[in-house]
């Protein structure tokens, strides 16, 4: 009888371990492609929900806020562009409304994302020109840092600027004037830009150690719209052209 009792005990233990194991299943993967095209019927409830918002957005984007006498074009290969001049001229005016002592404005070729054709300028044009949520930033920087920035502009073969005139020779800045005054490395300068560049974006040099930084909170795109609308209210148009603010000397 003892031997049967031991055998029964072993069977119970074996059975317990067998049925306590995590079950294993064989998984099969099946790839199903769903075609998304005109064969799928519209959900009229969803369409009727978003159509009013779509019309409101389209009306705002198509709203005319100004007029440009010339096409405003951009280029990564040119030292100066009409789109860059317009952008930084506007940026400098936006900055001087916050700080009347602002002297120069800076952007980058890569930050200006669209051209504006000659004729009416719409809100949508400004969104295409500056699609980012960047905000206007005013920096007070030393003459040494301004010199670093000038060398950055020269070695990158020009960047959009306003309030600044300079020549580039052999990749170096020469004949530099800021606010119509010769550049003086012993002075400090107030520069208007936007937070992305102030934070070192686009490999920017010379802005990472300002004497003072003021983040205005003004979205650049909103500032541009206000700037153009102000011109229109004053009976003015955008008349920006290439003016030789940056030149390459052979």
């Amino acid at each position: 009888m003892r031997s049967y009792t031991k055998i029964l005990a072993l069977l119970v233990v074996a059975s317990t371990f067998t049925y306590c194991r995590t079950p294993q299943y064989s998984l099969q993967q099946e790839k199903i492609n769903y075609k998304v095209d005109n064969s799928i019927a519209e959900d009229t409830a969803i369409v009727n929900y978003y159509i009013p918002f779509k019309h409101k957005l389209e009306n705002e984007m198509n709203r005319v806020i100004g007029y440009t006498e010339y096409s405003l074009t951009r280029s990564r290969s040119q030292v100066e562009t009409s789109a860059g001049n317009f952008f930084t001229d506007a940026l400098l005016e936006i900055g001087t409304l916050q700080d009347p002592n602002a002297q120069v404005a800076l952007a980058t070729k890569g930050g200006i994302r669209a051209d504006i054709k000659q004729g009416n300028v719409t809100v949508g044009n400004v969104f295409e020109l500056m699609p980012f949520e960047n905000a206007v930033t005013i920096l007070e920087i030393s003459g040494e840092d301004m010199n670093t920035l000038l060398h950055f502009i020269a070695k990158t073969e020009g960047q959009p600027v306003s309030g600044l005139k300079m020549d580039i020779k052999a990749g170096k800045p020469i004949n530099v004037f800021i606010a119509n005054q010769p550049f003086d490395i012993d002075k400090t300068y107030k520069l208007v830009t936007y937070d992305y560049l102030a934070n070192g974006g686009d490999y920017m040099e010379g802005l990472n150690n300002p004497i003072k930084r003021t983040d205005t909170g003004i979205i650049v795109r909103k500032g541009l719209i206000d700037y153009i609308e102000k011109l229109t209210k004053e009976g003015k148009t955008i008349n920006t052209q290439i003016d030789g603010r940056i030149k390459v000397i052979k």
Side-chain angles (χ1 to χ4, degrees):
M1 182 67 70
R2 286 184 197 169
S3 59
Y4 290 118
T5 304
K6 289 181 180 178
I7 292 172
L8 180 60
L10 289 172
L11 288 173
V12 170
V13 171
S15 175
T16 302
F17 280 107
T18 299
Y19 289 102
C20 285
R21 291 191 320 178
T22 301
Q24 295 184 359
Y25 302 95
S26 176
L27 298 178
Q28 293 183 343
Q29 291 184 346
E30 183 179 358
K31 183 178 180 181
I32 301 176
N33 292 323
Y34 293 94
K35 197 173 183 179
V36 180
D37 57 19
N38 292 334
S39 65
I40 300 177
E42 287 185 349
D43 187 325
T44 55
I46 294 177
V47 172
N48 291 336
Y49 178 80
Y50 77 72
I51 280 294
F53 300 99
K54 179 175 181 288
H55 288 164
K56 184 177 180 180
L57 178 62
E58 288 176 344
N59 289 338
E60 176 61 14
M61 291 297 104
N62 292 327
R63 182 167 64 88
V64 176
I65 56 175
Y67 187 91
T68 177
E69 301 289 344
Y70 305 94
S71 292
L72 304 175
T73 58
R74 67 213 154 90
S75 170
R76 289 179 180 266
S77 62
Q78 297 178 9
V79 294
E80 180 188 355
T81 67
S82 55
N85 287 356
F86 161 73
F87 186 92
T88 49
D89 286 349
L91 192 60
L92 183 56
E93 179 158 324
I94 295 166
T96 54
L97 291 175
Q98 304 301 310
D99 186 340
N101 295 317
Q103 299 154 289
V104 59
L106 169 75
T108 57
K109 297 173 184 177
I112 299 173
R113 291 306 181 98
D115 302 334
I116 298 180
K117 294 181 180 180
Q118 182 270 337
N120 288 333
V121 179
T122 65
V123 171
N125 292 143
V126 181
F127 268 77
E128 292 169 352
L129 181 79
M130 184 54 162
F132 311 111
E133 295 298 306
N134 298 137
V136 177
T137 299
I138 301 173
L139 303 176
E140 182 176 358
I141 62 175
S142 68
E144 289 283 355
D145 284 340
M146 177 60 77
N147 189 48
T148 299
L149 175 60
L150 294 171
H151 278 79
F152 171 81
I153 294 171
K155 76 178 183 181
T156 55
E157 298 182 338
Q159 296 294 343
V161 295
S162 182
L164 168 67
K165 290 191 70 173
M166 61 180 280
D167 297 331
I168 301 172
K169 186 173 183 178
K172 305 292 183 183
I174 61 171
N175 304 325
V176 179
F177 285 79
I178 297 176
N180 297 317
Q181 297 295 319
F183 169 62
D184 186 343
I185 201 168
D186 294 321
K187 291 184 177 180
T188 61
Y189 293 93
K190 288 195 173 182
L191 176 142
V192 185
T193 187
Y194 41 93
D195 49 6
Y196 175 71
L197 298 184
N199 294 337
D202 279 350
Y203 306 101
M204 184 58 61
E205 298 175 9
L207 306 185
N208 61 329
N209 189 33
I211 298 168
K212 182 180 178 182
R213 171 171 173 158
T214 303
D215 292 304
T216 67
I218 300 170
I219 300 301
V220 174
R221 183 176 55 247
K222 178 63 167 59
L224 291 174
I225 292 171
D226 291 345
Y227 171 78
I228 297 170
E229 288 182 328
K230 179 173 178 288
L231 289 178
T232 302
K233 288 178 182 177
E234 294 173 350
K236 299 176 183 178
T237 58
I238 299 170
N239 196 29
T240 308
Q241 300 180 67
I242 302 295
D243 56 23
R245 59 187 72 181
I246 297 183
K247 295 183 292 185
V248 174
I249 306 298
K250 301 297 184 180

